[in-house]
Amino acid sequence: MEMTTNQQDSAQGEAAAPPFAEGGNGGVQVLKFGLPTEEELPMLAQLYAVHVTTKATSPMEAAFEETQAREMLEKFMRLRERIQVARVDGHVLGFVTIEPDGPVRRAAYLRHLVVKPECRRQGVGTSLLKRAHHMALEMSRKSLILRVDPSNENLVAFVRKAGFMTVGALSSKKSGKLRLLMSCEL
């Protein structure tokens, strides 16, 4: 499965000071990270499903979105220990999922990076990406790798700005679509 994200912190200019940051200071809200609670898992699955499908405009699309959410809930329940949720005052803003074994030896695999639409371009994605780096180091990995749709120009620019380089291209097992394989040394 390729990395899924709808993060758009990059490419189109930057805010003077992000309203969300780790640690926080001077009007910046403090982001806290942790494992998802049992109550948050369905919300994370729904957030993911909404982002990988277009907004449901028909009953058939709504049913597909709901099926995606159910499937992701099952996966997230199994991957719970590999998910880090970004919160402010107990409210979920986004999440990241890291796996110790990816498509490249000794590289942690960044599978998901999802930020709520209303929280984008405010530093949440950048903080989640930093958290992903930290998680990969905790796994004793030498690099962090991800797959990304090359047509998602904002995401490609975002991860390049964060130090990722394209190391190859491959076809998605699920869809057959071309994905860039991008890596960042830790």
Side-chain angles (χ1 to χ4, degrees), residues 5 36 101 109 123:
T5 182
D101 300 311
Y109 179 48

Side-chain angles (χ1 to χ4, degrees), residues 150-168:
S151 68
N152 189 340
E153 294 172 3
N154 287 335
L155 176 59
V156 172
F158 171 70
V159 295
R160 281 198 174 127
K161 182 178 176 184
F164 283 81
M165 296 179 6
T166 303
V167 295

Side-chain angles (χ1 to χ4, degrees), residues 24-54:
N25 60 32
V28 176
Q29 295 185 56
V30 179
L31 271 180
K32 295 188 178 182
F33 296 95
L35 295 173
T37 65
E38 291 291 326
E39 296 78 28
E40 289 171 339
L41 285 172
M43 183 184 60
L44 299 181
Q46 187 64 41
L47 180 60
Y48 172 84
V50 167
H51 289 310
V52 297
T53 60
T54 57

Side-chain angles (χ1 to χ4, degrees), residues 48-119:
Y48 172 84
V50 167
H51 289 310
V52 297
T53 60
T54 57
K55 280 285 186 195
T57 57
S58 72
M60 194 162 139
E61 289 172 333
F64 178 74
E65 188 175 291
E66 188 57 36
T67 299
Q68 284 282 322
R70 277 194 306 272
E71 289 173 6
M72 286 313 297
L73 178 57
E74 291 173 19
K75 285 184 181 181
F76 287 167
M77 289 171 71
R78 288 190 309 269
L79 294 171
R80 184 173 179 203
E81 296 299 315
R82 308 224 188 274
I83 300 171
Q84 285 288 295
V85 177
R87 299 178 190 86
V88 168
D89 296 328
H91 298 284
V92 173
L93 305 183
F95 67 94
V96 64
T97 305
I98 302 293
E99 297 178 22
D101 300 311
V104 175
R105 182 180 154 95
R106 302 270 309 143
Y109 179 48
L110 195 161
R111 184 173 292 270
H112 305 105
L113 174 64
V114 179
V115 175
K116 282 186 169 181
E118 63 271 20
C119 299

